Amino acid sequence: MEYMEQARAVAPKSPDVFILEGDILAAKKQYGDAASRYEQAIYFDNKCKEAYFKYAKIYSRSNPQYAIDMLNKLIEMDPEYTVAYGELADVYYKNEEFAKAADAFSKYVNVETSDMKDLARYATLLYFSGDQDKALELVTKVSQREPNNTVLRRLNMYINYDKGDYAKSLELAKTLMGQVEDSSKLITRDYMYFARTLSKNDLHKEAAEVFEKAVNMDTARVELLKEMGSEYEAVKDYDKAIGAYKRYIDQAKDVKLNDYFNLGKVYYTAGASIRPTEDGVVMTESDSMRMVDYLKGADSLFAHVVEKAPESYLGYLFRGRANWAIDNPQAPKLAKPFYEQAIAVMEKDPQKNAAGLIEAYRFMGVHYIGLEDYPASLEYWKKILELNPDNAEAKRMAEVLPQYIQQ
């Protein structure tokens, strides 16, 4: 400050004096005052490139478009002032205009002579701009100069995953995750891609565990909880799957009705998995209680779906499924009103809802057999045949039930 004031006394209109004062104020985080000094430097010398550059840099976060306009003026003034392209790319990147960022940075970087930090940044910008082919070409070329570069390794993994080469992506992911000496260099996206790559290679348990690491690293990425739940569901670890989906519903800001529905389906699958598949096998009391708890949890969630979307048949249909699983399969009662409600909705468009209707009609057919009301049962099997004349079970029941009716 002392020498700046001496300089001002000698040359009060020198842009260098205002640039130095702006730098001092910027270092003190007095950004508004700093910007006004750079503006004064431009006033006294409208060709002062350094003032334009620093003025734009001050506004890069608070007013990105203003910064972009200033940098474009600078580039128009001197197209060879390459540092401006680098700053312009940075502003575009922060503003999530990735294609423009990559284009600007291409005028700043030189593939043959630039340092690895700039080359890695260029590859990153190309990747986020959607030009994966060019990004992969650059990664392949410059990786020879620095094979252990973390940024280039991660981009290589990302791109191969996005292109569908899951085996290679997994190999690259294991190399990246296993050989980075400083784990702080790894980012949430690394774990996210690693988890997805594991999943695509049918390593679902491992994928779920890596998703857990990603969520712990960045608790704001709550959407990853759904993917984690899906992986636990794939290995039939229903309790952890339920836990993950519930955490998502508790933490997410924009929970959809479908999220409740999907959680209900996990509860339903968990309960249905406990019921014996062979006749004559009796569940333990503990298993029976667990099964009912899961199925009641499912029914509660499907009831929420019905409340919020009464025009959809799905909530009614799945309430029917959950309650049929709780019922005695040979004499079901709890599920009946829900299947009837589902039928009322689905019959508005029978062809579109054929699969759901066949399930509901089958339930009603079984229900009335349990009540020994064979004429009522036969009507539902006939309805199935109207939708699917080749349905073997319905054909058999249509042949057998008239014999009971005649008796």
Side-chain angles (χ1 to χ4, degrees), residues 76-213:
E76 185 179 347
M77 185 191 309
D78 183 0
E80 301 303 317
Y81 196 67
T82 54
V83 68
Y85 292 108
E87 183 63 23
L88 183 60
D90 192 53
V91 179
Y92 277 133
Y93 178 78
K94 290 172 183 173
N95 212 34
E96 297 188 0
E97 296 182 72
F98 301 121
K100 290 181 179 179
D103 180 64
F105 209 71
S106 71
K107 298 176 178 67
Y108 169 78
V109 75
N110 185 304
V111 176
E112 302 301 330
T113 60
S114 293
D115 63 27
M116 287 301 296
K117 184 178 180 181
D118 282 340
L119 291 170
R121 179 160 181 74
Y122 184 37
T124 301
L125 291 173
L126 287 169
Y127 172 75
F128 281 111
S129 74
D131 195 344
Q132 294 188 340
D133 290 335
K134 195 170 182 178
L136 184 58
E137 180 184 343
L138 179 62
V139 167
T140 303
K141 184 173 183 178
V142 302
S143 289
Q144 298 170 11
R145 289 166 52 182
E146 196 174 305
N148 296 329
N149 185 285
T150 301
V151 175
L152 297 179
R153 277 182 166 177
R154 75 161 49 102
L155 289 173
N156 205 1
M157 172 180 69
Y158 296 173
I159 294 168
N160 276 279
Y161 175 89
D162 291 341
K163 285 180 169 292
D165 192 342
Y166 304 125
K168 186 172 182 181
S169 181
L170 180 58
E171 178 187 338
L172 292 166
K174 287 181 175 179
T175 301
L176 172 67
M177 310 303 280
Q179 294 185 7
V180 172
E181 295 180 2
D182 183 2
S183 61
S184 66
K185 291 184 177 180
L186 297 173
I187 60 177
T188 305
R189 187 180 289 267
D190 295 336
Y191 288 101
M192 181 183 77
Y193 265 86
F194 185 27
R196 289 174 178 171
T197 300
L198 287 164
S199 177
K200 290 295 186 181
N201 285 276
D202 294 326
L203 298 168
H204 299 290
K205 184 175 184 297
E206 293 86 346
E209 292 167 353
V210 176
F211 272 125
E212 185 80 66
K213 290 180 181 178

Side-chain angles (χ1 to χ4, degrees), residues 235-307:
V235 293
K236 301 181 180 181
D237 192 337
Y238 298 118
D239 287 335
K240 287 186 177 179
I242 289 168
Y245 286 125
K246 287 178 73 174
R247 282 169 62 190
Y248 174 78
I249 287 174
D250 290 341
Q251 297 174 26
K253 294 179 181 179
D254 187 25
V255 180
K256 307 293 186 186
L257 189 60
N258 197 49
D259 296 318
Y260 290 96
F261 180 67
N262 287 334
L263 176 56
K265 288 200 294 184
V266 181
Y267 268 107
Y268 171 74
T269 304
S273 70
I274 299 173
R275 181 180 288 281
T277 56
E278 298 179 11
D279 293 337
V281 177
V282 179
M283 282 189 294
T284 65
E285 184 178 354
S286 174
D287 281 346
S288 180
M289 290 176 64
R290 283 176 58 235
M291 182 194 75
V292 172
D293 284 344
Y294 282 131
L295 294 171
K296 285 185 175 179
D299 182 57
S300 175
L301 286 156
F302 297 140
H304 178 72
V305 173
V306 167
E307 180 186 351

